[in-house]
Amino acid sequence: DVKVTQSSRYLVKRTGEKVFLECVQDMDHENMFWYRQDPGLGLRLIYFSYDVKMKEKGDIPEGYSVSREKKERFSLILESASTNQTSMYLCASRRGTGESYEQYFGPGTRLTVT
Amino acid sequence: KNQVEQSPQSLIILEGKNCTLQCNYTVSPFSNLRWYKQDTGRGPVSLTIMTFSENTKSNGRYTATLDADTKQSSLHITASQLSDSASYICVVSARAGSYQLTFGKGTKLSVIP
């Protein structure tokens, strides 16, 4: 079974803090993704990575950066957390981009910025 | 603009009853359509994936249908159980080889005893 794990289920940070969210997958997938999920808005793509050290902006990259130094690990960084970044953050991974490739999600990190 | 619309937004049904959730999309070109189940506070879990050439796919009590001509899909749940209470999300991929998925906002299903 594919496992996507996220470092924290719940996180509370203060405005202005630097925040790291970590995601690890154990199936040697090339592609990894970070989404945020807000009530009434659905999932929105922040960043994705298709290879080590490669990254692409998604729909809402402002205020975020990412790092992928190893294939299995994809980190989301909030350089200076703000209250409007309070959200559920979901990491996902996928082997390829073919039609049948499944995308697997982690359990999510609920981040509260106060 | 690519969009995925789901209806209803929420639904309450009695345990043991059947229900059908709807998904309409305007994503073009179309590659595949996925249905996910998301329990409260958890990550989404895949139920089905259908490509352009498939018009039905089953996973236990879950059956998804796809009409690529009308750009509509439905998820039918048979003999609902309390554990079916969750949000169901319809997701469409624009083309094979694309990294981007377009997500619907989900239908929140509550199954009551």
Side-chain angles (χ1 to χ4, degrees):
Chain A
D1 265 2
V2 176
K3 271 239 171 82
V4 180
T5 58
Q6 296 183 227
S7 51
S8 305
R9 292 297 313 279
Y10 300 95
L11 210 51
V12 180
K13 296 292 182 180
R14 293 200 181 275
T15 301
E17 278 192 82
K18 191 169 187 176
V19 181
F20 293 87
L21 303 183
E22 304 284 338
C23 175
V24 177
Q25 50 95 2
D26 66 357
M27 287 301 290
D28 202 37
H29 285 175
E30 292 85 2
N31 306 299
M32 296 187 74
F33 307 81
W34 274 107
Y35 297 89
R36 65 177 282 177
Q37 185 176 31
D38 301 289
L41 294 179
L43 275 82
R44 293 179 291 166
L45 181 64
I46 304 171
Y47 267 98
F48 66 96
S49 169
Y50 52 89
D51 203 349
V52 175
K53 297 190 185 295
M54 306 304 289
K55 61 185 179 184
E56 292 282 347
K57 293 180 180 179
D59 300 319
I60 51 165
E62 297 78 18
Y64 304 94
S65 62
V66 291
S67 172
R68 193 164 180 203
E69 297 296 318
K70 294 184 178 181
K71 192 174 186 179
E72 68 272 17
R73 190 179 296 269
F74 191 35
S75 302
L76 180 70
I77 303 153
L78 288 66
E79 295 289 342
S80 178
S82 63
T83 55
N84 63 13
Q85 292 178 311
T86 291
S87 185
M88 170 74 119
Y89 289 88
L90 290 161
C91 175
S93 76
R94 192 160 106 206
R95 180 169 301 284
T97 56
E99 289 178 341
S100 60
Y101 285 128
E102 186 53 78
Q103 182 154 314
Y104 298 90
F105 286 86
T109 295
R110 185 162 294 282
L111 173 67
T112 302
V113 182
T114 62
Chain B
K1 182 182 177 183
N2 290 336
Q3 283 191 313
V4 175
E5 300 286 342
Q6 291 188 244
S7 61
Q9 282 189 327
S10 62
L11 184 62
I12 301 173
I13 62 171
L14 290 174
E15 185 179 10
K17 297 295 187 183
N18 303 337
C19 68
T20 300
L21 314 181
Q22 300 290 344
C23 172
N24 297 337
Y25 62 92
T26 58
V27 177
S28 182
F30 171 83
S31 175
N32 63 70
L33 185 145
R34 307 155 185 249
W35 282 95
Y36 282 87
K37 178 187 179 189
Q38 185 176 23
D39 293 319
T40 302
R42 313 292 299 189
V45 174
S46 177
L47 294 175
T48 62
I49 301 176
M50 289 182 292
T51 62
F52 181 87
S53 60
E54 297 174 299
N55 56 24
T56 188
K57 186 78 77 80
S58 290
N59 179 356
R61 295 181 296 102
Y62 300 100
T63 300
T65 64
L66 172 65
D67 185 334
D69 292 330
T70 61
K71 298 187 177 181
Q72 294 181 327
S73 176
S74 64
L75 180 69
H76 186 73
I77 304 174
T78 304
S80 61
Q81 300 176 358
L82 298 179
S83 59
D84 293 329
S85 295
S87 287
Y88 292 84
I89 303 172
C90 177
V91 185
V92 179
S93 178
R95 64 181 186 277
S98 170
Y99 297 102
Q100 292 271 27
L101 303 176
T102 303
F103 290 81
K105 294 177 183 177
T107 292
K108 185 172 175 60
L109 175 66
S110 299
V111 181
I112 60 175

